[in-house]
Amino acid sequence: MAPQHVAHLNEWMKFSDGLSNRTDSDGPGFSHDCFGRAKVVDADEDSAVFEYTVQQSDCNFSGNFHGGAIATLVDNLTTATFFTRERKHFQFGGVSTDLHVTYVSAATLGMTVLLECKVQKAGAGLANTNAVLKDKATGRVIATASHTKFNTDSRMGGRSKL
């Protein structure tokens, strides 16, 4: 674990939670729980491990972690992994161009899961990340994912606050 990477990532997650934990006229944003409930367990340059406990709002009618909730969590936390260090590109996290999740086994209500996220490559235009979601208690793989991001820095009109 590299303390400077954990600190930088925690700072970004707190900032992002403030942005996404809002209520518009039609209700809360759909991803507001990702940053507020995910805990950074470990981080290094271009990689991070997060802990997340499955809540009722994350579950489908069967009481299992909903695939859409898993995909949203992967989207947000692989993006958060960009902020384990300062970088020239992806100051705003970019936008998804491809997100592929393979669901291997079920996660149930109350289960604590670990998300191991890694930035494979981040260039000026595109970045490739991946994630493995595991049951914290057993190490059983729940899902694997690959996520491609497009850099939107030039469209955002400046550099991020972080």
Side-chain angles (χ1 to χ4, degrees), residues 121-133:
K121 181 178 181 185
L126 291 175
N128 302 99
T129 67
N130 61 35
V132 178
L133 185 81

Side-chain angles (χ1 to χ4, degrees), residues 20-30:
S20 62
N21 193 10
R22 69 189 193 314
T23 300
D24 294 332
S25 60
D26 61 348
F30 67 91

Side-chain angles (χ1 to χ4, degrees), residues 88-127:
K88 182 177 178 182
H89 304 291
F90 289 91
Q91 296 294 308
F92 295 93
V95 295
S96 299
T97 61
D98 182 67
L99 177 62
H100 181 88
V101 182
T102 300
Y103 303 97
V104 179
S105 60
T108 55
L109 175 63
M111 180 183 286
T112 299
V113 296
L114 296 175
L115 285 92
E116 300 170 353
C117 301
K118 178 133 182 80
V119 177
Q120 294 299 123
K121 181 178 181 185
L126 291 175

Side-chain angles (χ1 to χ4, degrees), residues 4 12-13 16-17 20 25 29 31 39-40 55 84 114 118-119 135 137 158 161-162:
Q4 73 273 19
W12 184 83
M13 288 181 64
S16 294
D17 186 42
S20 62
S25 60
S31 64
K39 176 186 171 195
V40 179
Q55 303 293 314
T84 55
L114 296 175
K118 178 133 182 80
V119 177
D135 177 349
K161 292 183 178 186
L162 297 176

